[in-house]
């Protein structure tokens, strides 16, 4: 197999060997456990209904015959989740491989977001906006954090052309422009816009959230700023990757 980071098979192999195997944030782990619990409950109830009456002396027999892997893989709700995850990865992978703005070396920094769902992607963009808005006091204790924050700001500013041309507000529907005042030529303010809209998503018109919330809203953003997540992540990763607060996104 080719070791070229831009080779799809190499990227998929990387995803399979690192992202699917436990390198999740605590929040991701909680959601995964909740999904698994729901799936287990569903298939176990089904098995018990099939068996009819259950007695103490046949419990071991029931679960000795219980093929957990087969049951979970054939549960419709979990199958739908797996298919959705596969489609998300495919979309992000194609976005990277077909984008001439990313070098082979840069692609190595962008592997983690490939497997994020819409909610995790929005969580990261909100996290980044929050981190950029916090100004640390000028003291020996906070000098390093403040220097890193300003470094991320400057780097994002230099990457503007990779994210949008002209004014980002021109890409946004008119009924989303009300509210806060933004610098529409600033990547940092675009992130602030995303954060504010997502944090107040209950106030958004239904067309932007629909019944699936994060997926619909992130799709809207991704169609207008397809490189926002990857470029922002690459900048933040290089500067903040060793910080504890960034661990959930590594």
């Amino acid at each position: 197999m080719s070791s070229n980071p831009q080779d799809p098979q190499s990227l998929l192999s990387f995803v399979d060997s690192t992202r699917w195997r436990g390198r999740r944030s605590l929040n991701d782990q909680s959601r995964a456990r909740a999904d698994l619990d729901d799936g287990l409950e569903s298939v176990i109830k089904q098995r018990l209904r099939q068996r009819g009456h259950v007695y103490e002396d046949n419990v071991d027999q029931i679960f000795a015959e219980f093929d957990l892997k087969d049951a979970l893989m054939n549960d419709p709700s979990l199958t739908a989740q797996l298919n959705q995850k596969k489609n998300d990865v495919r979309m992000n992978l194609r976005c990277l491989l077909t984008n001439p703005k990313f070098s082979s070396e840069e692609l190595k920094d962008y592997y983690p977001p490939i497997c994020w769902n819409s909610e995790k992607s929005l969580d990261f963009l909100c996290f980044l906006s929050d981190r950029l808005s916090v100004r640390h006091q000028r003291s020996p204790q906070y000098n390093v954090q403040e220097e890193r924050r300003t470094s991320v700001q400057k780097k994002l500013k230099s990457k503007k052309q990779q994210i949008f041309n002209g004014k980002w507000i021109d890409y946004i529907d008119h009924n989303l422009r009300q509210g806060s005042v933004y610098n529409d030529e600033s990547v940092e303010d675009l992130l602030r816009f995303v954060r504010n809209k997502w944090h107040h998503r209950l106030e958004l018109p239904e067309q932007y959230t629909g019944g699936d919330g994060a997926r619909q809203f992130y799709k809207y953003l991704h169609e207008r700023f397809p490189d926002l997540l990857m470029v922002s992540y690459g900048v933040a990763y290089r500067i903040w990757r060793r910080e504890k607060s960034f661990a959930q996104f590594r």
Side-chain angles (χ1 to χ4, degrees):
M1 182 180 296
S2 170
S3 60
N4 180 0
Q6 297 194 63
D7 173 40
Q9 293 302 319
S10 296
L11 281 173
L12 289 172
S13 176
F14 180 91
V15 168
D16 183 59
S17 64
T18 61
R19 301 307 301 170
W20 300 123
R21 298 180 183 178
R23 292 187 61 192
R24 294 171 172 165
S25 68
L26 293 177
N27 287 337
D28 283 343
Q29 291 177 18
S30 297
R31 284 194 289 268
R33 283 195 295 270
D35 291 342
L36 184 59
D37 288 344
D38 290 343
L40 283 171
E41 180 179 351
S42 173
V43 296
I44 289 174
K45 282 181 179 178
Q46 181 181 8
R47 175 53 61 91
L48 293 179
R49 283 196 295 269
Q50 291 172 349
R51 294 289 304 204
H53 292 292
V54 178
Y55 303 98
E56 184 178 354
D57 59 359
N58 70 356
V59 169
D60 290 340
Q61 179 185 358
I62 291 173
F63 285 92
E65 300 169 354
F66 185 53
D67 188 335
L68 178 61
K69 181 178 179 181
D70 180 69
L72 287 175
M73 290 304 295
N74 285 285
D75 180 78
S77 63
L78 292 181
T79 301
Q81 290 175 26
L82 289 172
N83 284 334
Q84 192 61 69
K85 171 64 76 173
K86 179 185 69 176
N87 291 336
D88 287 344
V89 172
R90 179 183 295 143
M91 178 185 72
N92 290 331
L93 191 56
R94 183 180 292 114
C95 179
L96 282 178
L97 295 176
T98 59
N99 195 326
K101 299 174 184 175
F102 300 129
S103 67
S104 298
E105 189 62 30
E106 283 180 318
L107 282 175
K108 296 177 183 178
D109 295 337
Y110 303 138
Y111 288 146
I114 289 176
C115 293
W116 290 353
N117 59 22
S118 300
E119 185 175 0
K120 181 67 176 285
S121 300
L122 288 168
D123 284 347
F124 170 76
L125 295 176
C126 292
F127 161 85
L128 181 54
S129 178
D130 287 337
R131 283 296 305 271
L132 291 174
S133 66
V134 175
R135 295 184 179 277
H136 297 283
Q137 298 175 356
R138 285 295 179 182
S139 68
Q141 183 179 359
Y142 295 111
N143 276 350
V144 173
Q145 288 92 329
E146 181 63 16
E147 287 175 6
R148 289 174 179 171
R149 186 185 73 85
T150 55
S151 293
V152 172
Q153 283 181 316
K154 292 176 182 178
K155 196 67 176 177
L156 278 176
K157 185 176 182 180
S158 73
K159 298 280 187 179
K160 172 189 168 182
Q161 295 301 320
Q162 290 184 245
I163 299 172
F164 62 87
N165 293 314
K167 299 179 179 181
W168 59 261
I169 198 70
D170 293 337
Y171 298 78
I172 302 297
D173 292 352
H174 284 279
N175 58 350
L176 288 179
R177 298 184 186 184
Q178 69 275 13
S180 302
V181 177
Y182 300 98
N183 177 351
D184 52 19
E185 296 185 4
S186 164
V187 176
E188 185 176 347
D189 269 32
L190 171 57
L191 291 168
R192 187 163 65 89
F193 168 85
V194 173
R195 174 199 175 279
N196 289 345
K197 294 303 179 184
W198 182 237
H199 282 190
H200 297 280
R201 54 190 173 275
L202 295 180
E203 302 171 13
L204 293 178
E206 187 176 356
Q207 69 191 86
Y208 301 107
T209 56
D212 50 9
R215 171 163 294 279
Q216 188 75 8
F217 184 60
Y218 185 71
K219 180 175 181 288
Y220 173 84
L221 293 172
H222 183 75
E223 288 173 347
R224 287 153 180 78
F225 311 102
D227 298 327
L228 175 61
L229 175 65
M230 295 301 178
V231 172
S232 299
Y233 182 85
V235 170
Y237 174 82
R238 292 190 187 95
I239 297 172
W240 286 332
R241 63 184 179 275
R242 292 186 177 87
E243 293 191 6
K244 289 183 180 179
S245 62
F246 200 80
Q248 60 185 310
F249 300 113
R250 287 200 296 266

